[in-house]
Amino acid sequence: MTCYAVGLLHAVQMGPGIVAYLEGIDATLAPYGGRFVIHGGPQEALEGACDRDLIVIAFPDRAAARAWYGSPGYRAILPHRLRHARGEVFLIEGMGEGHRATDILRGA
């Protein structure tokens, strides 16, 4: 099942640290099948407001996402982001083909 690494970042301080992070992250994703689905960009608020940058990276499964996050390559660049941005980062699995909203009622 596809697993997504989701980041909601704010207070990003553009400068050499973030540049180093951005220049290094693509190489860390490749060995784990990771690819950007969303990487910031303009938002159109339909309800409420969001003052954070949304980043979504897709991985083949949760094991690959965890392996990427814990990999030496990613751990080497992570301090650049942690020092120059705040926010939340988490993993969440996607839904299978044909998922319907009422499917979540079966587990309730």
Side-chain angles (χ1 to χ4, degrees), residues 15-53:
I18 289 295
V19 169
Y21 178 82
L22 293 172
E23 289 177 341
I25 192 169
D26 290 326
T28 71
L29 297 172
Y32 304 96
R35 64 177 180 82
F36 282 98
V37 176
I38 299 170
H39 196 187
Q43 300 175 12
E44 178 182 351
L46 299 178
E47 296 181 24
C50 181
D51 64 347
R52 296 173 185 244
D53 292 322

